[in-house]
């Protein structure tokens, strides 16, 4: 098994609760294939050392991930990934198509913000608000 890990980056000015940022970043890593079943999440102590947040915040995030069925806490051993999300990791065909689209957009002279706006527009058209 490859050694996958996640490094949390906390934005204290985002308005998003810190525990939710950890949940969202973990979910993003699962969607991108950066974390796989069996991978171990950093310990609460490691996250606290890296981000200077309260350990209870980390534990709250991990409980939320456990409640969602994404991770499993093993007493005295750590918290481990149980499953991934969506199958949109780096090796997925959809990811490859999107990579190609981004390269074509860049070659056409479309900037990052315009490409992001275009992608958001298409997503909004095909995934109505509230659709998961």
């Amino acid at each position: 098994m490859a050694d996958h890990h996640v490094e949390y980056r906390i934005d204290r000015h985002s308005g998003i609760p810190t525990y939710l940022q950890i949940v969202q970043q973990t979910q993003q890593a699962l969607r991108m294939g950066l974390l796989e079943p069996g991978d171990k999440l950093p310990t609460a102590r490691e996250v606290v050392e890296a981000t200077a947040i309260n350990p209870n915040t980390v534990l709250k995030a991990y409980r939320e991930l456990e409640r969602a069925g994404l991770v499993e806490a093993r007493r005295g051993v750590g918290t481990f990934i149980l499953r991934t999300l969506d199958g949109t990791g780096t090796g997925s065909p959809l990811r490859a198509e999107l990579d190609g689209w981004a390269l074509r957009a860049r070659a056409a002279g479309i900037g990052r913000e315009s490409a992001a706006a275009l992608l958001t527009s298409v997503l909004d058209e095909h995934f109505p608000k509230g659709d998961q």
Side-chain angles (χ1 to χ4, degrees):
M1 178 183 317
D3 181 29
H4 301 99
H5 68 279
V6 61
E7 293 179 19
Y8 298 111
R9 301 186 191 288
I10 304 304
D11 180 354
R12 299 179 196 293
H13 305 290
S14 69
I16 299 172
T18 304
Y19 86 94
L20 198 51
Q21 291 183 48
I22 293 172
V23 169
Q24 290 173 342
Q25 289 175 31
T26 303
Q27 290 172 333
Q28 179 77 1
L30 291 169
R31 286 188 175 95
M32 301 305 295
L34 301 175
L35 290 173
E36 296 181 352
D39 287 340
K40 182 179 177 184
L41 290 180
T43 65
R45 175 179 290 179
E46 291 168 336
V47 176
V48 168
E49 288 174 2
T51 62
I53 61 174
N54 187 309
N56 289 327
T57 301
V58 180
L59 297 175
K60 182 177 181 179
Y62 284 12
R63 281 193 304 270
E64 188 68 27
L65 291 164
E66 191 170 13
R67 197 176 1 259
L70 297 174
V71 303
E72 174 185 48
R74 300 179 192 159
R75 182 176 287 278
V77 182
T79 303
F80 294 85
I81 299 296
L82 288 178
R83 65 182 180 91
T84 59
L85 290 170
D86 292 344
T88 56
T90 55
S92 80
L94 286 174
R95 170 65 188 245
E97 289 179 29
L98 194 53
D99 280 342
W101 178 84
L103 289 171
R104 289 191 306 277
R106 187 173 189 161
I110 296 175
R112 179 186 178 98
E113 289 184 16
S114 294
L118 179 59
L119 179 60
T120 299
S121 170
V122 171
L123 289 173
D124 287 346
E125 182 180 328
H126 295 282
F127 296 92
K129 297 287 183 200
D131 191 14
Q132 295 293 321

